[in-house]
């Protein structure tokens, strides 16, 4: 059982780094949105959820006798910075950002689904419950992004076709 718990702890550290990355990515994205208030508001709401998720993961890691990985967290933050810089150069930044956000949410959904199975196998029912609650938030954000992607795309296209109107963000 020790190896199972070691894997679980390592994967919780990965999830913690993933949430660090998500937080940085979402903050950068929200900070650049000027003309899409509905999207900005939902991203800002999810930033708060993400901070709570990270804190809950820290507690799970601590309860298992570990601590977050400084290296993994730093790499996650660097990846987020790279994503933000890359996104700024796109003329359709808002659409690509919404698509990238949806993809990232799907990655998180898969990660938490796996973590729940690992926690159950390790007999860590509290960790499974925490991951299940986080999973619900990630599924809700993914569903919101997917549902609102057509509207964001249409808004972008209309703004982009209007002379003198900024569309990309």
């Amino acid at each position: 059982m020790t190896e199972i718990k070691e894997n679980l702890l390592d994967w919780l550290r990965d999830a913690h780094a993933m949430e660090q990355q998500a937080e940085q990515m979402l903050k950068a994205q929200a900070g650049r949105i000027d003309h899409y208030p509905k999207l900005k508001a939902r991203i800002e709401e999810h930033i708060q959820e993400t901070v709570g998720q990270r804190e809950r993961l820290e507690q799970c890691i601590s309860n298992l006798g570990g601590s977050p990985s400084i290296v993994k967290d730093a790499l996650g933050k660097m990846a987020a910075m790279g994503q933000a810089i890359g996104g700024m150069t796109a003329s359709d930044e808002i659409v690509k950002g919404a698509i990238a956000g949806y993809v990232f949410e799907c990655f998180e959904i898969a990660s938490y689904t796996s973590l729940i199975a690992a926690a159950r196998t390790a007999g860590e029912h509290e960790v499974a419950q925490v991951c299940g609650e986080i999973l619900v938030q990630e599924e809700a954000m993914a569903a919101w992004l997917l549902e609102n992607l057509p509207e964001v795309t249409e808004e972008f296209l209309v703004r982009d076709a209007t002379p003198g109107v900024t569309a990309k963000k």
Side-chain angles (χ1 to χ4, degrees):
M1 194 61 123
T2 302
E3 259 188 60
I4 292 172
K5 286 194 180 186
E6 286 175 17
N7 280 317
L8 175 60
L9 185 56
D10 193 42
W11 295 341
L12 286 168
R13 287 182 181 117
D14 291 343
H16 185 269
M18 176 179 67
E19 294 303 346
Q20 292 269 43
Q21 180 180 354
E23 182 180 347
Q24 296 302 313
M25 185 178 68
L26 291 167
K27 284 180 178 178
Q29 188 178 18
R32 293 194 42 77
I33 296 175
D34 294 331
H35 305 293
Y36 303 84
K38 186 176 168 184
L39 177 60
K40 183 174 183 151
R42 183 61 179 104
I43 289 171
E44 288 174 341
E45 179 184 337
H46 195 55
I47 290 169
Q48 296 309 308
E49 291 173 343
T50 301
V51 169
Q53 293 165 1
R54 179 180 43 78
E55 290 170 351
R56 294 186 78 194
L57 288 168
E58 286 171 8
Q59 188 61 52
C60 288
I61 292 167
S62 177
N63 289 349
L64 291 174
S67 61
S69 169
I70 294 169
V71 173
K72 288 180 182 186
D73 287 353
L75 290 173
K77 286 180 182 179
M78 285 193 317
M81 187 183 335
Q83 288 168 323
I85 291 169
M88 287 191 285
T89 62
S91 63
D92 56 351
E93 175 183 1
I94 195 72
V95 175
K96 285 193 171 107
I99 292 168
Y102 175 73
V103 169
F104 197 84
E105 293 302 323
C106 289
F107 177 75
E108 289 180 305
I109 289 166
S111 296
Y112 285 110
T113 300
S114 182
L115 271 169
I116 292 165
R120 286 181 181 150
T121 302
E124 294 293 338
H125 302 289
E126 185 178 323
V127 172
Q129 180 179 340
V130 167
C131 291
E133 291 166 2
I134 293 172
L135 177 62
V136 169
Q137 292 176 327
E138 302 299 5
E139 289 172 334
M141 184 62 181
W144 190 94
L145 286 167
L146 187 59
E147 181 179 311
N148 286 272
L149 188 57
E151 180 181 329
V152 169
T153 303
E154 291 164 5
E155 261 187 85
F156 166 81
L157 290 171
V158 169
R159 292 185 68 81
D160 194 51
T162 306
V165 174
T166 302
K168 77 178 259 174
K169 58 182 189 150

